[in-house]
DNA sequence: ACGCACTTGTTATATCGTAACGGTCACGCT
DNA sequence: AGCGTGACCGTTACGATATAACAAGTGCGT
């Protein structure tokens, strides 16, 4: 089941993700500040990937700083802790759909129209040349979700 | 064997890729113009991924136009025909290491220091939600190649 | 109170990418 | 030959994404 494209109890997503965020931060002695928490909440509003500048606009409208580093720092904080992911193919960010697992890698299925992102467990490691030390994997499938194929791109 | 990180007959890479490019274009009734050919040659100088602006600077120095669309158009032409690939994780472009196969997808192993890119056959398709139409896959492993781990980053 | 680490904010700038428009040239057609 | 047409290349202008560097505020232990 892929949350992004199926009907589900989204309130539970949000609640679980925030709880996981609290837990991860507590465990590591780090602070889920209002800015960071709010950034995560914004991402959690849907399974749609948001650009850093989209997030920034939201934050600025709520009284936080209005310059790019404000958003990028909060997003990097979340990504490093596995609470959010960066979708390379969109240059955008999504809340993690499997929070509480600690930092982890995942595969993403991304609709290029509505920008919804389903997170799947990362597949098998790719082949790698001798002596190459893999640090990070990017596995994404881009295309059209069922709704966007039918409805010619319904709003996210 | 991965060309990018192993000693090999690079002149053959270049020769084969150019021949393949000629063939692909001829077959499709398209033109490998001097600009496009030169762009491909620049990428073919090594298995290092180049940013569009790196390519542009080279082109401009050789008398071609100096504005971004010049490079982007040539690069898109090559990418669409499978003669080059875009490496999402680097926002950069490499010549295809398996030319002549027509447009195709591939997995990439990318050294983040020297930016060398090894192209491997694309692995198994990722799992996908019901009804999702995959159009494009991005599979990349980033890390450090053997040389960059040992030599603390030898020049590309 | 003081110092320190951390967080947030700013200014400024770098990097990546595209829209829109105009000129030129080759080619086929009448 | 003259003329349309389409592909290609060049430009200007702008938009989107991202980071470096520095200043100031906050919270907390001692």
């Amino acid at each position: 089941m892929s949350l992004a494209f199926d009907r589900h109890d989204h309130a539970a997503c949000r609640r679980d993700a925030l709880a996981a965020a609290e837990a991860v931060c507590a465990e590591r002695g780090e602070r889920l500040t209002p800015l960071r928490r709010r950034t995560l909440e914004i991402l959690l509003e849907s399974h749609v990937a948001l650009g850093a500048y989209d997030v920034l606009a939201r934050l600025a409208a709520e009284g936080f700083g209005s310059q790019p580093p404000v958003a990028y720092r909060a997003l990097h904080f979340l990504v490093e802790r596995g609470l959010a992911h960066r979708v390379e193919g969109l240059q955008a960010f999504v809340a993690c759909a499997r929070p509480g697992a600690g930092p982890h890698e995942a595969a993403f299925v991304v609709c290029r129209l509505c920008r919804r992102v389903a997170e799947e467990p990362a597949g098998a490691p790719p082949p790698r040349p001798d002596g190459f030390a893999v640090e990070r994997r990017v596995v994404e499938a881009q295309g059209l979700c069922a709704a966007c194929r039918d409805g010619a791109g319904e709003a996210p």
Side-chain angles (χ1 to χ4, degrees), chain A:
Chain A
M1 146 128 183
S2 63
L3 293 179
F5 302 112
D6 293 326
R7 196 176 300 275
H8 65 284
D9 178 3
H10 191 62
C13 284
R14 217 177 315 166
R15 189 183 347 104
D16 293 353
L18 283 169
E22 304 274 18
V24 165
C25 289
E27 190 178 321
R28 304 168 55 142
E30 292 164 330
R31 296 163 55 200
L32 189 63
T33 62
L35 173 61
R36 292 168 178 170
R37 185 188 180 89
R38 192 67 197 114
T39 301
L40 178 55
E41 286 172 356
I42 288 168
L43 291 181
L44 280 170
E45 285 174 7
S46 72
H47 295 283
V48 172
L50 297 179
Y53 280 68
D54 297 334
V55 173
L56 177 59
R58 294 285 308 274
L59 291 171
E62 298 177 17
F64 294 99
S66 61
Q67 300 306 313
V70 169
Y72 280 105
R73 283 193 292 234
L75 289 166
H76 289 161
F77 176 89
L78 297 173
V79 167
E80 276 164 18
R81 282 147 192 83
L83 301 169
H85 299 288
R86 180 181 152 88
V87 181
E88 296 291 341
L90 292 179
Q91 292 171 198
F93 299 83
V94 260
C96 176
R98 293 174 158 75
H104 61 281
E105 289 177 322
F108 301 100
V109 179
V110 181
C111 177
R112 67 172 161 78
L113 264 191
C114 67
R115 296 170 63 98
R116 258 185 278 255
V117 174
E119 177 176 347
E120 311 284 349
R128 61 191 170 75
D130 236 31
F132 193 97
V134 174
E135 294 169 344
R136 180 164 171 259
R137 280 180 285 156
V138 178
V139 180
E140 300 174 9
Q142 292 180 37
L144 286 185
C145 69
C148 285
R149 270 202 299 177
D150 299 348
E154 69 179 25

Short mmCIF file of all heavy atoms in Angstrom, two decimals, chain A residues 5-66:
data_model
loop_
_atom_site.label_atom_id
_atom_site.label_comp_id
_atom_site.label_asym_id
_atom_site.label_seq_id
_atom_site.Cartn_x
_atom_site.Cartn_y
_atom_site.Cartn_z
N PHE A 5 -0.98 7.65 -2.77
CA PHE A 5 -1.97 7.54 -3.83
C PHE A 5 -3.23 6.81 -3.41
O PHE A 5 -4.12 6.59 -4.22
CB PHE A 5 -1.35 6.87 -5.06
CG PHE A 5 -0.15 7.63 -5.58
CD1 PHE A 5 1.11 7.09 -5.49
CD2 PHE A 5 -0.30 8.90 -6.14
CE1 PHE A 5 2.22 7.80 -5.96
CE2 PHE A 5 0.79 9.61 -6.61
CZ PHE A 5 2.06 9.05 -6.52
N ASP A 6 -3.29 6.41 -2.16
CA ASP A 6 -4.48 5.71 -1.69
C ASP A 6 -5.14 6.49 -0.56
O ASP A 6 -4.48 7.22 0.18
CB ASP A 6 -4.09 4.31 -1.18
CG ASP A 6 -3.61 3.43 -2.32
OD1 ASP A 6 -4.12 3.59 -3.44
OD2 ASP A 6 -2.70 2.61 -2.08
N ARG A 7 -6.42 6.29 -0.47
CA ARG A 7 -7.15 6.91 0.64
C ARG A 7 -6.61 6.32 1.94
O ARG A 7 -6.38 5.11 2.04
CB ARG A 7 -8.64 6.58 0.49
CG ARG A 7 -9.57 7.43 1.32
CD ARG A 7 -11.00 7.05 1.00
NE ARG A 7 -11.33 7.24 -0.41
CZ ARG A 7 -11.75 8.42 -0.92
NH1 ARG A 7 -11.84 9.48 -0.14
NH2 ARG A 7 -12.04 8.53 -2.20
N HIS A 8 -6.40 7.16 2.91
CA HIS A 8 -5.91 6.65 4.19
C HIS A 8 -6.16 7.69 5.28
O HIS A 8 -6.56 8.81 5.00
CB HIS A 8 -4.42 6.35 4.10
CG HIS A 8 -3.56 7.57 3.86
ND1 HIS A 8 -3.46 8.20 2.65
CD2 HIS A 8 -2.80 8.30 4.70
CE1 HIS A 8 -2.66 9.24 2.73
NE2 HIS A 8 -2.24 9.34 3.98
N ASP A 9 -5.89 7.29 6.48
CA ASP A 9 -6.12 8.17 7.62
C ASP A 9 -4.92 9.11 7.74
O ASP A 9 -3.95 8.81 8.42
CB ASP A 9 -6.26 7.31 8.89
CG ASP A 9 -6.43 8.18 10.13
OD1 ASP A 9 -6.49 9.43 10.00
OD2 ASP A 9 -6.50 7.61 11.24
N HIS A 10 -5.06 10.23 7.10
CA HIS A 10 -3.88 11.09 7.04
C HIS A 10 -3.57 11.75 8.39
O HIS A 10 -2.41 12.03 8.70
CB HIS A 10 -4.02 12.16 5.96
CG HIS A 10 -2.74 12.88 5.71
ND1 HIS A 10 -1.60 12.24 5.24
CD2 HIS A 10 -2.36 14.16 5.91
CE1 HIS A 10 -0.61 13.10 5.17
NE2 HIS A 10 -1.04 14.28 5.56
N ALA A 11 -4.59 11.95 9.18
CA ALA A 11 -4.33 12.52 10.52
C ALA A 11 -3.35 11.63 11.28
O ALA A 11 -2.49 12.12 12.02
CB ALA A 11 -5.63 12.67 11.29
N ALA A 12 -3.47 10.33 11.05
CA ALA A 12 -2.57 9.40 11.73
C ALA A 12 -1.14 9.57 11.22
O ALA A 12 -0.19 9.52 12.00
CB ALA A 12 -3.04 7.96 11.52
N CYS A 13 -1.00 9.79 9.93
CA CYS A 13 0.33 10.05 9.37
C CYS A 13 0.98 11.19 10.12
O CYS A 13 2.13 11.10 10.57
CB CYS A 13 0.24 10.51 7.91
SG CYS A 13 -0.11 9.21 6.73
N ARG A 14 0.22 12.27 10.21
CA ARG A 14 0.77 13.48 10.81
C ARG A 14 1.16 13.23 12.26
O ARG A 14 2.26 13.55 12.69
CB ARG A 14 -0.31 14.57 10.75
CG ARG A 14 0.23 15.94 10.49
CD ARG A 14 -0.92 16.93 10.38
NE ARG A 14 -2.00 16.40 9.55
CZ ARG A 14 -3.22 16.94 9.51
NH1 ARG A 14 -3.52 17.97 10.29
NH2 ARG A 14 -4.15 16.42 8.72
N ARG A 15 0.22 12.64 12.97
CA ARG A 15 0.43 12.40 14.39
C ARG A 15 1.66 11.51 14.60
O ARG A 15 2.57 11.83 15.38
CB ARG A 15 -0.81 11.73 14.99
CG ARG A 15 -0.80 11.63 16.48
CD ARG A 15 -2.04 10.90 17.02
NE ARG A 15 -3.12 10.71 16.07
CZ ARG A 15 -3.41 9.56 15.47
NH1 ARG A 15 -2.66 8.48 15.69
NH2 ARG A 15 -4.42 9.47 14.63
N ASP A 16 1.72 10.43 13.87
CA ASP A 16 2.83 9.50 14.03
C ASP A 16 4.16 10.16 13.68
O ASP A 16 5.17 9.97 14.36
CB ASP A 16 2.64 8.28 13.11
CG ASP A 16 1.45 7.45 13.54
OD1 ASP A 16 0.87 7.75 14.61
OD2 ASP A 16 1.08 6.52 12.80
N ALA A 17 4.14 10.94 12.62
CA ALA A 17 5.39 11.55 12.18
C ALA A 17 5.89 12.56 13.21
O ALA A 17 7.08 12.62 13.50
CB ALA A 17 5.20 12.23 10.83
N LEU A 18 4.96 13.32 13.77
CA LEU A 18 5.38 14.29 14.77
C LEU A 18 5.89 13.60 16.02
O LEU A 18 6.91 14.01 16.60
CB LEU A 18 4.24 15.25 15.10
CG LEU A 18 4.01 16.31 14.02
CD1 LEU A 18 2.72 17.06 14.25
CD2 LEU A 18 5.19 17.27 13.97
N ALA A 19 5.19 12.53 16.40
CA ALA A 19 5.64 11.78 17.57
C ALA A 19 7.04 11.21 17.32
O ALA A 19 7.93 11.28 18.17
CB ALA A 19 4.65 10.66 17.88
N ALA A 20 7.23 10.68 16.13
CA ALA A 20 8.53 10.11 15.79
C ALA A 20 9.60 11.19 15.82
O ALA A 20 10.73 10.96 16.28
CB ALA A 20 8.48 9.45 14.41
N ALA A 21 9.25 12.37 15.34
CA ALA A 21 10.22 13.46 15.31
C ALA A 21 10.63 13.83 16.73
O ALA A 21 11.82 13.99 17.03
CB ALA A 21 9.62 14.67 14.60
N GLU A 22 9.63 13.94 17.60
CA GLU A 22 9.94 14.23 19.01
C GLU A 22 10.89 13.18 19.55
O GLU A 22 11.89 13.49 20.20
CB GLU A 22 8.65 14.19 19.86
CG GLU A 22 7.54 15.12 19.39
CD GLU A 22 7.66 16.52 19.96
OE1 GLU A 22 8.76 16.87 20.43
OE2 GLU A 22 6.68 17.27 19.90
N ALA A 23 10.57 11.92 19.26
CA ALA A 23 11.36 10.83 19.80
C ALA A 23 12.79 10.86 19.29
O ALA A 23 13.74 10.74 20.05
CB ALA A 23 10.70 9.49 19.46
N VAL A 24 12.92 11.04 17.99
CA VAL A 24 14.25 11.06 17.39
C VAL A 24 15.09 12.17 18.00
O VAL A 24 16.26 11.97 18.35
CB VAL A 24 14.16 11.25 15.86
CG1 VAL A 24 15.51 11.62 15.28
CG2 VAL A 24 13.62 9.99 15.20
N CYS A 25 14.49 13.33 18.14
CA CYS A 25 15.25 14.46 18.67
C CYS A 25 15.61 14.24 20.14
O CYS A 25 16.75 14.48 20.55
CB CYS A 25 14.47 15.75 18.52
SG CYS A 25 14.36 16.29 16.81
N ALA A 26 14.64 13.76 20.90
CA ALA A 26 14.90 13.53 22.31
C ALA A 26 16.05 12.57 22.48
O ALA A 26 16.99 12.79 23.25
CB ALA A 26 13.64 12.99 22.99
N GLU A 27 15.98 11.51 21.72
CA GLU A 27 16.98 10.45 21.79
C GLU A 27 18.39 10.96 21.50
O GLU A 27 19.38 10.48 22.04
CB GLU A 27 16.60 9.40 20.75
CG GLU A 27 17.35 8.11 20.81
CD GLU A 27 16.80 7.18 19.73
OE1 GLU A 27 15.55 7.18 19.53
OE2 GLU A 27 17.61 6.50 19.08
N ARG A 28 18.46 11.94 20.63
CA ARG A 28 19.76 12.44 20.21
C ARG A 28 20.13 13.73 20.92
O ARG A 28 21.13 14.37 20.58
CB ARG A 28 19.77 12.66 18.70
CG ARG A 28 19.40 11.39 17.95
CD ARG A 28 19.12 11.61 16.48
NE ARG A 28 20.20 12.28 15.78
CZ ARG A 28 20.58 11.97 14.53
NH1 ARG A 28 19.97 10.99 13.90
NH2 ARG A 28 21.53 12.65 13.94
N GLY A 29 19.32 14.14 21.86
CA GLY A 29 19.61 15.37 22.58
C GLY A 29 19.55 16.60 21.71
O GLY A 29 20.27 17.57 21.93
N GLU A 30 18.68 16.56 20.69
CA GLU A 30 18.56 17.70 19.80
C GLU A 30 17.20 18.35 19.97
O GLU A 30 16.30 17.77 20.58
CB GLU A 30 18.78 17.25 18.35
CG GLU A 30 20.21 16.83 18.13
CD GLU A 30 20.37 16.03 16.85
OE1 GLU A 30 19.41 15.33 16.44
OE2 GLU A 30 21.44 16.11 16.26
N ARG A 31 17.07 19.53 19.42
CA ARG A 31 15.84 20.28 19.68
C ARG A 31 14.95 20.38 18.46
O ARG A 31 15.38 20.82 17.39
CB ARG A 31 16.21 21.67 20.17
CG ARG A 31 16.93 21.67 21.50
CD ARG A 31 17.64 22.98 21.76
NE ARG A 31 16.72 24.10 21.65
CZ ARG A 31 17.11 25.36 21.44
NH1 ARG A 31 18.39 25.63 21.31
NH2 ARG A 31 16.21 26.32 21.37
N LEU A 32 13.72 19.98 18.62
CA LEU A 32 12.73 20.18 17.56
C LEU A 32 12.11 21.56 17.80
O LEU A 32 11.05 21.69 18.40
CB LEU A 32 11.66 19.09 17.61
CG LEU A 32 10.70 19.06 16.43
CD1 LEU A 32 11.44 18.76 15.13
CD2 LEU A 32 9.60 18.04 16.63
N THR A 33 12.82 22.55 17.36
CA THR A 33 12.41 23.95 17.61
C THR A 33 11.10 24.26 16.88
O THR A 33 10.69 23.50 16.00
CB THR A 33 13.50 24.89 17.10
OG1 THR A 33 13.62 24.70 15.69
CG2 THR A 33 14.82 24.61 17.77
N PRO A 34 10.48 25.37 17.21
CA PRO A 34 9.24 25.74 16.52
C PRO A 34 9.43 25.79 15.01
O PRO A 34 8.57 25.32 14.27
CB PRO A 34 8.93 27.13 17.08
CG PRO A 34 9.55 27.14 18.44
CD PRO A 34 10.79 26.30 18.33
N LEU A 35 10.54 26.35 14.57
CA LEU A 35 10.78 26.43 13.14
C LEU A 35 10.85 25.04 12.51
O LEU A 35 10.23 24.75 11.49
CB LEU A 35 12.08 27.18 12.87
CG LEU A 35 12.55 27.21 11.42
CD1 LEU A 35 11.53 27.90 10.53
CD2 LEU A 35 13.90 27.90 11.31
N ARG A 36 11.59 24.17 13.13
CA ARG A 36 11.76 22.82 12.58
C ARG A 36 10.45 22.05 12.64
O ARG A 36 10.10 21.34 11.70
CB ARG A 36 12.84 22.08 13.38
CG ARG A 36 14.21 22.68 13.17
CD ARG A 36 15.21 22.15 14.16
NE ARG A 36 16.54 22.70 13.90
CZ ARG A 36 17.56 22.57 14.73
NH1 ARG A 36 17.41 21.92 15.88
NH2 ARG A 36 18.73 23.09 14.43
N ARG A 37 9.76 22.21 13.74
CA ARG A 37 8.51 21.49 13.90
C ARG A 37 7.50 21.98 12.87
O ARG A 37 6.81 21.19 12.22
CB ARG A 37 7.96 21.74 15.30
CG ARG A 37 6.71 20.95 15.59
CD ARG A 37 6.09 21.36 16.91
NE ARG A 37 4.89 20.56 17.13
CZ ARG A 37 4.88 19.40 17.74
NH1 ARG A 37 6.00 18.90 18.21
NH2 ARG A 37 3.75 18.72 17.86
N ARG A 38 7.45 23.27 12.69
CA ARG A 38 6.50 23.84 11.75
C ARG A 38 6.84 23.43 10.31
O ARG A 38 5.96 23.14 9.50
CB ARG A 38 6.51 25.37 11.89
CG ARG A 38 5.38 26.05 11.18
CD ARG A 38 4.03 25.73 11.82
NE ARG A 38 2.96 26.06 10.91
CZ ARG A 38 2.13 25.19 10.34
NH1 ARG A 38 2.21 23.91 10.65
NH2 ARG A 38 1.21 25.57 9.49
N THR A 39 8.11 23.38 10.02
CA THR A 39 8.55 22.95 8.69
C THR A 39 8.07 21.53 8.43
O THR A 39 7.53 21.22 7.36
CB THR A 39 10.08 23.03 8.58
OG1 THR A 39 10.49 24.37 8.81
CG2 THR A 39 10.55 22.58 7.21
N LEU A 40 8.26 20.69 9.43
CA LEU A 40 7.81 19.31 9.28
C LEU A 40 6.29 19.25 9.12
O LEU A 40 5.77 18.53 8.26
CB LEU A 40 8.25 18.48 10.49
CG LEU A 40 7.82 17.02 10.50
CD1 LEU A 40 8.27 16.31 9.23
CD2 LEU A 40 8.37 16.31 11.74
N GLU A 41 5.58 20.04 9.90
CA GLU A 41 4.12 20.05 9.80
C GLU A 41 3.67 20.47 8.40
O GLU A 41 2.71 19.93 7.86
CB GLU A 41 3.52 21.01 10.84
CG GLU A 41 3.57 20.45 12.26
CD GLU A 41 3.16 21.48 13.31
OE1 GLU A 41 2.91 22.64 12.95
OE2 GLU A 41 3.10 21.11 14.49
N ILE A 42 4.36 21.44 7.85
CA ILE A 42 3.99 21.90 6.51
C ILE A 42 4.17 20.76 5.50
O ILE A 42 3.31 20.50 4.68
CB ILE A 42 4.83 23.13 6.12
CG1 ILE A 42 4.35 24.35 6.92
CG2 ILE A 42 4.75 23.40 4.63
CD1 ILE A 42 5.28 25.55 6.84
N LEU A 43 5.29 20.06 5.61
CA LEU A 43 5.50 18.93 4.70
C LEU A 43 4.46 17.85 4.93
O LEU A 43 4.02 17.16 4.00
CB LEU A 43 6.89 18.33 4.90
CG LEU A 43 8.08 19.18 4.47
CD1 LEU A 43 9.37 18.43 4.72
CD2 LEU A 43 7.97 19.59 3.02
N LEU A 44 4.04 17.73 6.18
CA LEU A 44 3.12 16.64 6.54
C LEU A 44 1.68 16.91 6.11
O LEU A 44 0.83 16.04 6.25
CB LEU A 44 3.14 16.42 8.05
CG LEU A 44 4.31 15.59 8.58
CD1 LEU A 44 4.35 15.65 10.10
CD2 LEU A 44 4.19 14.15 8.10
N GLU A 45 1.41 18.09 5.63
CA GLU A 45 0.02 18.37 5.27
C GLU A 45 -0.47 17.47 4.15
O GLU A 45 -1.65 17.23 3.99
CB GLU A 45 -0.12 19.85 4.88
CG GLU A 45 -0.08 20.74 6.11
CD GLU A 45 -0.09 22.23 5.75
OE1 GLU A 45 -0.25 22.57 4.56
OE2 GLU A 45 0.08 23.04 6.69
N SER A 46 0.45 17.00 3.35
CA SER A 46 0.07 16.05 2.31
C SER A 46 1.30 15.25 1.92
O SER A 46 2.39 15.51 2.41
CB SER A 46 -0.44 16.79 1.08
OG SER A 46 0.65 17.40 0.42
N HIS A 47 1.11 14.31 1.00
CA HIS A 47 2.26 13.55 0.51
C HIS A 47 2.80 14.17 -0.77
O HIS A 47 3.43 13.50 -1.57
CB HIS A 47 1.87 12.09 0.30
CG HIS A 47 1.51 11.39 1.59
ND1 HIS A 47 2.46 10.96 2.47
CD2 HIS A 47 0.32 11.11 2.14
CE1 HIS A 47 1.86 10.40 3.52
NE2 HIS A 47 0.55 10.49 3.34
N VAL A 48 2.55 15.46 -0.91
CA VAL A 48 3.04 16.18 -2.07
C VAL A 48 4.42 16.76 -1.75
O VAL A 48 4.64 17.26 -0.65
CB VAL A 48 2.07 17.33 -2.43
CG1 VAL A 48 2.65 18.23 -3.50
CG2 VAL A 48 0.73 16.75 -2.88
N ALA A 49 5.32 16.66 -2.71
CA ALA A 49 6.66 17.23 -2.52
C ALA A 49 6.60 18.73 -2.70
O ALA A 49 5.98 19.24 -3.64
CB ALA A 49 7.63 16.62 -3.52
N LEU A 50 7.24 19.45 -1.80
CA LEU A 50 7.26 20.90 -1.85
C LEU A 50 8.68 21.39 -2.11
O LEU A 50 9.63 20.87 -1.54
CB LEU A 50 6.80 21.49 -0.52
CG LEU A 50 5.35 21.19 -0.11
CD1 LEU A 50 5.06 21.83 1.24
CD2 LEU A 50 4.38 21.69 -1.16
N GLY A 51 8.80 22.39 -2.94
CA GLY A 51 10.09 23.03 -3.14
C GLY A 51 10.48 23.82 -1.91
O GLY A 51 9.61 24.22 -1.12
N ALA A 52 11.77 24.03 -1.73
CA ALA A 52 12.24 24.76 -0.56
C ALA A 52 11.61 26.16 -0.52
O ALA A 52 11.30 26.67 0.56
CB ALA A 52 13.76 24.89 -0.60
N TYR A 53 11.37 26.73 -1.67
CA TYR A 53 10.82 28.08 -1.70
C TYR A 53 9.33 28.08 -1.39
O TYR A 53 8.80 29.09 -0.89
CB TYR A 53 11.13 28.77 -3.02
CG TYR A 53 12.54 29.33 -3.06
CD1 TYR A 53 13.64 28.48 -3.08
CD2 TYR A 53 12.78 30.70 -3.07
CE1 TYR A 53 14.93 28.97 -3.09
CE2 TYR A 53 14.07 31.20 -3.08
CZ TYR A 53 15.14 30.34 -3.10
OH TYR A 53 16.43 30.83 -3.11
N ASP A 54 8.66 26.99 -1.67
CA ASP A 54 7.25 26.87 -1.25
C ASP A 54 7.19 26.85 0.27
O ASP A 54 6.38 27.54 0.88
CB ASP A 54 6.64 25.56 -1.79
CG ASP A 54 6.61 25.52 -3.31
OD1 ASP A 54 6.58 26.61 -3.92
OD2 ASP A 54 6.64 24.41 -3.86
N VAL A 55 8.05 26.02 0.85
CA VAL A 55 8.10 25.93 2.31
C VAL A 55 8.46 27.29 2.90
O VAL A 55 7.83 27.76 3.85
CB VAL A 55 9.12 24.87 2.74
CG1 VAL A 55 9.30 24.89 4.25
CG2 VAL A 55 8.70 23.48 2.27
N LEU A 56 9.43 27.91 2.28
CA LEU A 56 9.88 29.21 2.78
C LEU A 56 8.73 30.22 2.79
O LEU A 56 8.55 30.97 3.76
CB LEU A 56 11.02 29.74 1.92
CG LEU A 56 11.55 31.12 2.29
CD1 LEU A 56 12.06 31.14 3.72
CD2 LEU A 56 12.64 31.55 1.32
N ALA A 57 7.96 30.23 1.73
CA ALA A 57 6.86 31.20 1.65
C ALA A 57 5.87 30.96 2.79
O ALA A 57 5.38 31.92 3.41
CB ALA A 57 6.15 31.07 0.30
N ARG A 58 5.60 29.69 3.05
CA ARG A 58 4.68 29.37 4.15
C ARG A 58 5.24 29.84 5.48
O ARG A 58 4.54 30.42 6.31
CB ARG A 58 4.44 27.85 4.19
CG ARG A 58 3.69 27.30 2.98
CD ARG A 58 2.22 27.66 3.07
NE ARG A 58 1.68 27.26 4.36
CZ ARG A 58 1.21 26.06 4.65
NH1 ARG A 58 1.18 25.13 3.74
NH2 ARG A 58 0.76 25.80 5.86
N LEU A 59 6.52 29.56 5.69
CA LEU A 59 7.15 29.95 6.95
C LEU A 59 7.15 31.47 7.11
O LEU A 59 6.81 31.99 8.18
CB LEU A 59 8.58 29.42 6.99
CG LEU A 59 8.72 27.90 7.10
CD1 LEU A 59 10.17 27.47 6.91
CD2 LEU A 59 8.20 27.41 8.45
N ALA A 60 7.51 32.14 6.04
CA ALA A 60 7.59 33.60 6.11
C ALA A 60 6.21 34.17 6.44
O ALA A 60 6.09 35.12 7.23
CB ALA A 60 8.09 34.16 4.78
N ALA A 61 5.17 33.58 5.86
CA ALA A 61 3.81 34.08 6.10
C ALA A 61 3.40 33.89 7.56
O ALA A 61 2.47 34.52 8.04
CB ALA A 61 2.82 33.36 5.18
N GLU A 62 4.12 33.02 8.24
CA GLU A 62 3.78 32.75 9.63
C GLU A 62 4.72 33.44 10.59
O GLU A 62 4.75 33.14 11.78
CB GLU A 62 3.79 31.24 9.88
CG GLU A 62 2.74 30.52 9.03
CD GLU A 62 2.80 29.02 9.20
OE1 GLU A 62 3.40 28.55 10.19
OE2 GLU A 62 2.25 28.31 8.34
N GLY A 63 5.54 34.33 10.09
CA GLY A 63 6.37 35.14 10.97
C GLY A 63 7.80 34.67 11.11
O GLY A 63 8.59 35.29 11.81
N PHE A 64 8.14 33.58 10.45
CA PHE A 64 9.55 33.17 10.48
C PHE A 64 10.31 33.98 9.45
O PHE A 64 9.73 34.77 8.70
CB PHE A 64 9.66 31.67 10.17
CG PHE A 64 9.07 30.80 11.25
CD1 PHE A 64 7.79 30.27 11.09
CD2 PHE A 64 9.78 30.51 12.40
CE1 PHE A 64 7.25 29.47 12.08
CE2 PHE A 64 9.23 29.71 13.39
CZ PHE A 64 7.96 29.19 13.23
N GLY A 65 11.60 33.77 9.41
CA GLY A 65 12.42 34.51 8.46
C GLY A 65 12.01 34.25 7.02
O GLY A 65 11.37 33.24 6.72
N SER A 66 12.39 35.16 6.16
CA SER A 66 11.90 35.07 4.78
C SER A 66 13.02 34.78 3.78
O SER A 66 12.80 34.83 2.59
CB SER A 66 11.24 36.40 4.41
OG SER A 66 12.21 37.43 4.50
#
